[in-house]
Amino acid sequence: MAKNTAFEILYREYYVRVFGLCRRLLNSSDLAQDATQEVFMRVYKSFGKYDAEQPFWQWIATFANNHCIDLLRQRSRADALFGDETIEMEDIAAVDVPVVNDLIALQDAEAMNEAISTLPDKYRVPVVLAYFNQLSYDEVATQLDISRNHVGVLLLRAKQSLRTALTAVDGGSL
Amino acid sequence: MSHLTPLQMSMYADNALPADEAHTVVAHLDTCETCRILLSAYQSETQYLAGAMHNDDPDLAELVIPEFSRPASLRGFAMVNLATGLVIWAAQFLWKTIFGELIVNAADWLTSIYLPDIYAVASSTALYFIEEGTAMFDAYLGFIVVSLLMITALSIVLARYRARTTAGLFVLVATLGAVTMPAPVSALEIRRDKNNVTIAASETINDTLIVAAETISIEGTVTGDVIAAGATIDVSGSVGGNLFTFAETVNVRGEVGGLALGAASSYNLNAATVGGDLWAAGESLRVDSDSRVSRNATLAGQKTVIEGSVSSDVTAFSESVEVSGNIGQDLEAFAGRVRLLGDAHVIGDLRFRSADEDRLFRSDNARVDGEVEFMGTPEEFREQNPYATVQFYLWQIARLIAAFLVGVVLFWLVPGLRSLTIGAGIDGLKSAGIGFLTIVSVPIMAVLVAITLIGLPFSFIAVVGLLTGVYLAKIIVAGVIGRMLFAEGTRPVLSLLVGISIVIVAVNLPFIGGIVSFLLTIIGLGLLVQYLFGLISNRGAVA
């Protein structure tokens, strides 16, 4: 019983965060809702194995990451969800300060989130893990089962796409 | 010198460069103004990105948190199964004990202990239970339906959060099941009366008939089984199925399609035909000269008389056995006295166990085509040591090879089984418990489902499935044991062979072998059930 009550409290407390994370990873509210239930289901089953040393959010986020990435992998129906590192490396052009500053200059968090949600899975997932979930590159690499450098390339690519998307929106609105 | 690459910039801004590369970057930054400015832009960008993502989404605040549906999964399923199993088992136990074992066993005693009133007691007990039992039977069948619905409902709840298609499928199956399942009571006809019940010659009952009365007379036709209890039962019509009778006097004059089982003070076949086996216990048992039993006859009584013919073996436990008819195969008698009278003809062997060889009397015309063997009383009978025979070892080797081949194919076809482990402590107990539950509840469910005729194929499938599971169970445990001895994943085939060898030796240990075998079977079965169940719920999750 004690377990149930404690779990109920944690469920209420963390539901929104887990949902938010799943939604960012899966890019769909419907899928995120199902995924959140499944994540809590798994958390519930493994509740006894929780190590109090670890921050609870970190522990629960691992479940969410694992589950969502599994779902994405199933969806992509291919092992190479995150593409090939060397192909991704091609055509990375050097950029100037003003271009990098474009993103910040916009100062529009909503547009930024909108742009993130339009990123393909292979860029969005590392961005969510690294900047939203604040995992280190190594942790992201383990989670996605790719190399650390590959993570770096994907994040770099993601940021480039975001700049392009946001400046295009910005330019259009002017 | 060349400037930093965008990747170096980006990774450095995220503090993600390996130490040596970071040193190079720092050294370059010291000397390069351009890169320093660019890097600081990257750093701001990263910070801004992270900040924007953490900006609380306004619609998250309005998010309605759904009720958490506790995983019903295995535990819920097991609990429902357990409850169903227990209740049905209790009902079944009462039923079987009272009707089957208790009465037949009580009658069995009569060969040694003479209790004239036991039939009266038996038939009044049977009467009582038939009267109470009809209500019980109704409740019982209702219960099956309800429990099936419960399991279905549970499955739906379980599937609901997994996948909508699975849930839809369950609803469809449940609906189909509800529509196609006949109202269970229609398969039974129950008649009760204090004094007498007569099924007239013109009457035909197309169901199973349960009848209880002081005097029962079945002159008509019953196409199903007949279960009858009373003081006097007279069957002169025809019974298509099995005939179960409990009474002081039973006279069968008609035709019985299936098995005839009865306990009575006096049980008589008068010009009767029994299509199946005859099992009768009573003070006086008689198969008259115009009667015929198409299969085996097992008779326990004070006095047993066979004037008619029995197509197969006759086994008689009786103070006195008199045969003047034909016995198609062997006659085995545990009797005080065996008499072959008139034209008695035993086509097979005659074996009799008695205190003395001269207790066998043969008339001049009586014939025994096979051998006549006197076996003495069972006390002189010494059980042979099974470990001392060659056959035993040959048989064990055959078993090992068969299990090994099945195991190789099984683990090859279902690779998931290779990763099963018997958890320590509670998990192991859980597996054993689930296995035990399965082994107990599946046959019971199968018997009950078979009552509704439409359920017959299901119960057949269930029993075949269970038998397969029981066979595979020990192989699965053998696989686990093998893997425990060898390092994980190395030499899978050899580890299986070693595991199976250990299991076969263990189940043949004297005294404890039986228990070991049982434990291994239920643990393996539990693992298999858990595995299959996990497979089903995972499939739900993927869809």
Side-chain angles (χ1 to χ4, degrees):
Chain A
M1 274 298 107
K3 173 188 170 186
N4 288 345
T5 329
F7 188 81
E8 207 68 54
I9 294 167
L10 289 167
Y11 173 75
R12 307 225 143 262
E13 197 173 323
Y14 285 96
Y15 183 87
V16 176
R17 281 180 84 179
V18 172
F19 176 80
L21 175 57
C22 291
R23 193 173 60 173
R24 284 202 182 270
L25 285 168
L26 298 170
N27 220 1
S28 147
S29 288
D30 282 346
L31 289 179
Q33 204 165 355
D34 287 350
T36 310
Q37 280 298 329
E38 178 61 31
V39 167
F40 276 104
M41 198 85 91
R42 291 180 184 190
V43 168
Y44 182 83
K45 283 181 189 164
S46 316
F47 203 41
K49 294 176 201 151
Y50 172 62
D51 170 16
E53 298 274 297
Q54 199 183 7
F56 190 70
W57 168 246
Q58 208 178 326
W59 186 66
I60 204 171
T62 313
F63 281 89
N65 294 337
N66 286 336
H67 180 57
C68 293
I69 289 163
D70 281 349
L71 287 178
L72 291 174
R73 278 191 208 279
Q74 280 158 18
R75 203 165 63 178
S76 79
R77 294 191 189 283
D79 287 333
L81 175 62
F82 297 102
D84 187 85
E85 190 182 332
T86 48
I87 293 171
E88 294 287 336
M89 267 307 276
E90 286 168 13
D91 318 319
I92 294 184
V95 286
D96 298 328
V97 179
V99 180
V100 176
N101 278 334
D102 274 351
L103 257 187
I104 309 166
L106 200 63
Q107 285 300 330
D108 183 348
E110 208 174 316
M112 167 78 99
N113 284 318
E114 183 63 36
I116 290 172
S117 72
T118 61
L119 286 177
D121 289 348
K122 63 175 174 180
Y123 297 150
R124 192 185 64 254
V125 172
V127 166
V128 173
L129 294 180
Y131 302 127
F132 181 67
N133 228 359
Q134 294 182 322
L135 299 185
S136 71
Y137 274 43
D138 283 328
E139 287 166 329
V140 177
T142 316
Q143 187 82 63
L144 303 184
D145 198 19
I146 54 179
S147 72
R148 182 160 80 157
N149 216 49
H150 195 171
V151 174
V153 173
L154 290 173
L155 286 171
L156 178 65
R157 279 289 192 187
K159 285 187 271 191
Q160 281 182 338
S161 303
L162 286 175
R163 282 178 214 134
T164 319
L166 286 168
T167 43
V169 168
D170 202 29
S173 67
L174 278 174
Chain B
M1 81 176 277
S2 63
H3 289 301
L4 295 177
T5 66
L7 185 61
Q8 280 176 316
M9 290 274 184
S10 171
M11 286 180 79
Y12 187 80
D14 289 341
N15 289 326
L17 276 184
D20 53 341
E21 210 175 329
H23 279 303
T24 327
V25 170
V26 171
H28 176 78
L29 286 174
D30 280 345
T31 62
C32 180
E33 174 74 18
T34 325
C35 284
R36 253 201 322 268
I37 296 169
L38 196 54
L39 176 72
S40 107
Y42 266 102
Q43 279 167 331
S44 319
E45 188 188 50
T46 299
Q47 265 171 21
Y48 178 68
L49 189 58
M53 290 183 84
H54 278 99
N55 239 14
D56 273 338
D57 209 332
D59 58 330
L60 276 185
E62 294 157 22
L63 190 71
V64 181
I65 302 180
E67 269 310 299
F68 176 62
S69 61
R70 222 160 284 291
S73 68
L74 204 57
R75 192 178 310 171
F77 180 75
M79 290 306 283
V80 172
N81 203 354
L82 178 71
T84 317
L86 275 179
V87 173
I88 292 179
W89 179 74
Q92 184 82 2
F93 178 75
L94 282 175
W95 197 258
K96 241 187 108 177
T97 314
I98 300 303
F99 281 90
E101 296 172 31
L102 203 71
I103 293 174
V104 176
N105 284 348
D108 255 4
W109 291 342
L110 280 178
T111 48
S112 51
I113 309 162
Y114 180 66
L115 279 175
D117 278 337
I118 190 135
Y119 300 106
V121 173
S123 62
S124 57
T125 316
L127 258 168
Y128 171 79
F129 267 93
I130 290 252
E131 270 178 73
E132 295 300 306
T134 46
M136 191 168 89
F137 219 84
D138 284 347
Y140 196 173
L141 290 170
F143 187 85
I144 303 164
V145 176
V146 171
S147 44
L148 286 177
L149 288 178
M150 264 170 65
I151 290 175
T152 315
L154 193 83
S155 315
I156 292 170
V157 170
L158 231 142
R160 193 177 148 197
Y161 292 102
R162 302 285 167 89
R164 294 196 164 83
T165 40
T166 320
L169 204 69
F170 267 119
V171 173
L172 191 72
V173 169
T175 319
L176 275 179
V179 172
T180 51
M181 185 182 278
V185 181
S186 72
L188 281 178
E189 175 145 350
I190 295 158
R191 299 207 178 176
R192 264 178 297 178
D193 195 285
K194 238 188 152 54
N195 300 317
N196 70 70
V197 167
T198 302
I199 309 295
S202 56
E203 209 175 331
T204 301
I205 294 175
N206 282 315
D207 292 324
T208 291
L209 173 71
I210 295 185
V211 56
E214 185 77 20
T215 308
I216 297 165
S217 173
I218 299 175
E219 292 159 13
T221 307
V222 180
T223 56
D225 296 341
V226 170
I227 301 171
T232 308
I233 299 173
D234 200 280
V235 181
S236 53
S238 103
V239 176
N242 303 317
L243 172 68
F244 301 98
T245 46
F246 307 94
E248 279 179 64
T249 309
V250 174
N251 289 309
V252 183
R253 296 176 222 273
E255 202 174 306
V256 178
L259 156 108
L261 183 150
S265 181
S266 159
Y267 193 102
N268 303 304
L269 296 190
N270 298 321
T273 313
V274 176
D277 289 342
L278 169 68
W279 289 78
E283 197 177 325
S284 138
L285 309 170
R286 184 182 174 94
V287 178
D288 87 343
S289 56
D290 295 325
S291 295
R292 186 186 148 76
V293 176
S294 306
R295 293 177 59 183
N296 302 313
T298 306
L299 306 161
Q302 181 76 11
K303 182 172 184 197
T304 304
V305 178
I306 300 174
E307 292 167 349
S309 79
V310 176
S311 303
S312 280
D313 296 338
V314 172
T315 310
F317 306 83
S318 197
E319 179 52 38
S320 144
V321 177
E322 271 183 34
V323 179
S324 51
N326 282 326
I327 293 175
Q329 291 179 22
D330 301 346
L331 166 63
E332 181 150 7
F334 299 75
R337 207 163 54 242
V338 179
R339 307 206 295 165
L340 301 183
L341 302 173
D343 291 330
H345 187 187
V346 178
I347 294 170
D349 300 339
L350 164 64
R351 283 188 295 275
F352 85 106
R353 298 168 196 270
S354 189
D356 198 345
E357 206 162 348
D358 64 14
R359 297 292 178 90
L360 173 68
F361 170 82
R362 292 167 74 173
S363 77
D364 295 340
N365 291 332
R367 285 178 294 156
V368 177
D369 295 354
E371 288 172 11
V372 177
E373 200 179 341
F374 169 73
M375 307 185 89
T377 43
E379 284 80 10
E380 294 169 30
F381 215 60
R382 200 151 290 141
E383 222 177 300
Q384 202 177 10
N385 180 1
Y387 301 103
T389 60
V390 180
Q391 288 98 318
F392 172 79
Y393 294 98
L394 288 177
W395 172 237
Q396 296 309 324
I397 289 170
R399 242 174 112 180
L400 184 123
I401 293 170
F404 175 65
L405 292 178
V406 172
V408 168
V409 173
L410 176 73
F411 286 109
W412 177 65
L413 285 179
V414 194
L417 290 174
R418 287 185 220 147
S419 53
L420 289 180
T421 50
I422 305 174
I426 295 295
D427 280 348
L429 278 178
K430 193 167 105 183
S431 297
I434 290 169
F436 183 68
L437 214 68
T438 311
I439 224 169
V440 170
S441 62
V442 170
I444 292 173
M445 289 298 265
V447 166
L448 293 176
V449 171
I451 291 175
T452 65
L453 284 179
I454 202 135
L456 267 176
F458 294 110
S459 65
F460 178 74
I461 292 167
V463 169
V464 170
L466 179 72
L467 293 179
T468 315
V470 166
Y471 182 69
L472 297 182
K474 272 184 267 184
I475 297 178
I476 289 170
V477 176
V480 174
I481 293 174
R483 281 196 307 279
M484 280 154 78
L485 297 177
F486 287 79
E488 197 71 34
T490 59
R491 298 172 167 267
V493 174
L494 183 66
S495 75
L496 179 67
L497 185 64
V498 171
I500 289 177
S501 309
I502 292 175
V503 167
I504 285 187
V505 171
V507 300
N508 281 304
L509 289 175
F511 309 114
I512 58 165
I515 296 169
V516 170
S517 170
F518 176 73
L519 284 178
L520 293 181
T521 304
I522 62 172
I523 290 174
L525 200 59
L527 285 174
L528 188 63
V529 168
Q530 280 173 295
Y531 174 75
L532 292 176
F533 197 79
L535 216 60
I536 291 166
S537 50
N538 280 342
R539 186 157 298 162
V542 172

